[in-house]
Amino acid sequence: MFPKVLVCVVGARPNFMKMAPIIRQLQAVRHLIIPYLVHTGQHYDQAMKDTFFQQLGIPEPDKDLGVGSGSHAVQTANVMLRFEPVLDEVKPFAVLVVGDVNSTIACGLVAVKKNIPLIHVEAGLRSYDRQMPEEINRILTDQLSDLLFTTERAAADNLTREGIAEQRICFTGNVMIDTLLANCQQASSLAETLQRYGSKQVVSEKAYALLTLHRPSNVDDPETLERLVRVVGDISEKLPVIFPVHPRTQQKIAEAGLLQLLPQQRVIMLPPVAYLEMLGLMQAAQLVLTDSGGLQEETTALGVPCVTLRENTERPITITEGTNTIVGTDPAKIMQCVDDILHTGGKSGRVPEYWDGKAADRIVDEILRRYELAR
Ligand code: UD1
């Protein structure tokens, strides 16, 4: 029997950490499955894409669709138009997508319309907030999928409520944590990272807050953004804040003229940092302030307190078992949570089931079994 081709799709920064261990496991069964990696080009800057591929050992994509940025409709449509000919050429037995970005739903929709089975890794997460573009992408991708791999047990309940048959759901754990555990030892130190970006400020390990912000609900509305920037300024009076700034956020802070609200000596703004730098910054932080889904999970795995600047989370296990606290964007609540962490050390938490570095092994085993591609 000849090996069969599995098209694997990545598009944006958080996809890269999820796909890296899957590609590695697939390469170990190349006699059965040939991974064909497509990068849609949703994220394209050196700092948003290339450094991640290099650090995570992801091979160069077999195809780069080069779609770039755009409105949701433009971006999604461009991915679809450019992805369809790839499937015609490669004729895979299935398409595998990860996460919840626009590239995930765009490629999923193209695949199923061509009767190619869709596999979704990180299925079943729900914020129940349809204002979030990712929530729409999650719901629709899960409805389209033939095989759904989940990161936490509650995800299966969400899926069965939406009418998805239990046999299509498989709890395999968290591939992003596979990547985290594989790279912990190689993480860049705080000093290395600050030096690399020419930062002159002196910051000590376990004595700073790490901040990331990029959700449209937080950064696209100037009023919300100003409220958050002001509270970051207040927090920085208590402890320094390291803030790697997403391109979307950089643009919005500049447009709204908010830069002067962040005292330069206390808020260290960096460009988007590479994976090993971010991992090091998380490990050495006293606490993390974020609206990212990925960081909520990574801080839980690392045991670092996380303050989530959103009204909800699609990753409830980070609250029930992990170190995460949801505070929203009310400055008083944010300050109270930060103070609490500074005084008590914050939630200690434990690492959730199957966040053990072996999720990708389980996923590849299950794909071999389901599609009868014996080892
Ligand atoms: C996307 C995902 C989001 C994910 C985030 C991680 C969707 C709907 N959103 O949001 O789920 O959490 O990625 O970063 O898929 N830009 C650059 N360089 C790049 C990429 C983007 O400068 O390499 C700028 C562009 O101005 C662009 C803006 O960032 O318009 C936003 O990029 P986009 O891919 O639309 O969404 P993200 O906010 O990155």
Side-chain angles (χ1 to χ4, degrees):
M1 191 177 73
F2 293 110
K4 291 190 173 167
V5 177
L6 176 64
V7 165
C8 298
V9 177
V10 289
R13 189 169 59 173
N15 289 169
F16 307 145
M17 292 80 102
K18 294 169 193 167
M19 191 60 82
I22 298 173
I23 293 285
R24 199 166 319 113
Q25 287 303 318
L26 286 171
Q27 281 167 340
V29 293
R30 271 196 88 87
H31 55 297
L32 300 170
I33 299 180
I34 298 179
Y36 184 97
L37 184 63
V38 175
H39 174 44
T40 65
Q42 181 174 341
H43 283 175
Y44 43 86
D45 282 347
Q46 168 91 19
M48 299 292 280
K49 187 239 159 191
D50 299 281
T51 50
F52 283 78
F53 271 61
Q54 285 151 16
Q55 291 193 346
L56 299 176
I58 305 172
E60 269 309 296
D62 296 289
K63 190 73 88 185
D64 191 332
L65 305 180
V67 296
S69 301
S71 69
H72 285 271
V74 165
Q75 191 172 60
T76 309
N78 278 336
V79 173
M80 291 179 71
L81 285 171
R82 295 182 195 190
F83 187 58
E84 185 169 42
V86 177
L87 297 184
D88 290 336
E89 183 195 326
V90 175
K91 299 186 177 35
F93 75 92
V95 169
L96 184 148
V97 293
V98 294
D100 54 15
V101 301
N102 286 344
S103 302
T104 309
I105 177 62
C107 294
L109 190 51
V110 173
V112 293
K113 290 284 185 85
K114 297 179 89 68
N115 291 322
I116 299 170
L118 181 66
I119 302 171
H120 186 203
V121 174
E122 201 189 74
L125 297 180
R126 295 291 180 269
S127 65
Y128 292 96
D129 173 5
R130 290 203 180 204
Q131 299 289 314
M132 265 183 104
E134 294 81 4
E135 182 74 355
I136 308 295
N137 296 341
R138 293 181 198 114
I139 295 168
L140 297 180
T141 304
D142 287 340
Q143 280 295 330
L144 301 175
S145 295
D146 180 51
L147 180 54
L148 300 94
F149 291 113
T150 60
T151 52
E152 55 177 278
R153 289 201 183 270
D157 303 333
N158 295 331
L159 293 170
T160 44
R161 259 197 303 276
E162 290 170 17
I164 291 167
E166 255 174 63
Q167 346 33 297
R168 285 160 55 199
I169 307 167
C170 189
F171 173 50
T172 39
N174 196 326
V175 280
M176 205 171 49
I177 305 306
D178 290 6
T179 295
L180 180 139
L181 295 175
N183 286 283
C184 267
Q185 302 303 321
Q186 290 86 265
S188 308
S189 72
L190 170 65
E192 277 167 352
T193 300
L194 292 179
Q195 195 186 15
R196 190 164 306 148
Y197 294 100
S199 171
K200 303 270 181 294
Q201 293 94 327
V202 179
V203 185
S204 309
E205 300 215 344
K206 293 292 167 190
Y208 66 91
L210 174 67
L211 168 70
T212 81
L213 271 184
H214 77 284
R215 290 255 100 77
S217 59
N218 280 340
V219 305
D220 286 6
D221 170 34
E223 260 176 46
T224 311
L225 183 59
E226 180 169 346
R227 197 162 70 237
L228 287 169
V229 166
R230 283 186 187 281
V231 77
V232 169
D234 294 345
I235 292 168
S236 76
E237 289 173 15
K238 296 175 188 260
L239 78 173
V241 178
I242 299 182
F243 182 17
V245 192
H246 187 282
R248 173 191 283 277
T249 313
Q250 179 85 51
Q251 209 177 316
K252 300 290 176 186
I253 289 180
E255 276 170 21
L258 297 174
L259 207 53
Q260 78 278 7
L261 294 178
L262 296 171
Q264 272 182 28
Q265 282 312 308
R266 301 290 290 171
V267 182
I268 300 154
M269 293 175 80
L270 305 176
V273 297
Y275 181 74
L276 294 176
E277 295 166 352
M278 195 61 181
L279 189 50
L281 289 177
M282 276 191 283
Q283 282 174 327
Q286 188 167 5
L287 62 104
V288 172
L289 297 149
T290 192
D291 59 8
S292 149
L295 264 74
Q296 291 174 56
E297 294 187 339
E298 288 166 336
T299 47
T300 275
L302 293 169
V304 174
C306 181
V307 182
T308 292
L309 307 172
R310 285 174 45 189
E311 304 298 337
N312 50 54
T313 181
E314 61 285 343
R315 300 162 207 269
I317 206 160
T318 61
I319 307 286
T320 54
E321 294 188 18
T323 55
N324 191 16
T325 308
I326 294 282
V327 293
T329 60
D330 174 352
K333 285 192 188 151
I334 297 170
M335 272 316 250
Q336 197 189 343
C337 188
V338 168
D339 279 335
D340 187 51
I341 293 169
L342 294 181
H343 289 123
T344 67
K347 289 164 81 170
S348 49
R350 62 184 155 127
V351 178
E353 186 184 5
Y354 277 3
W355 292 23
D356 59 355
K358 295 182 185 141
D361 307 34
R362 293 185 199 101
I363 286 171
V364 170
D365 278 351
E366 189 60 20
I367 291 173
L368 291 172
R369 199 182 70 76
R370 293 271 175 145
Y371 299 100
E372 297 179 354
L373 306 161
R375 253 189 206 274

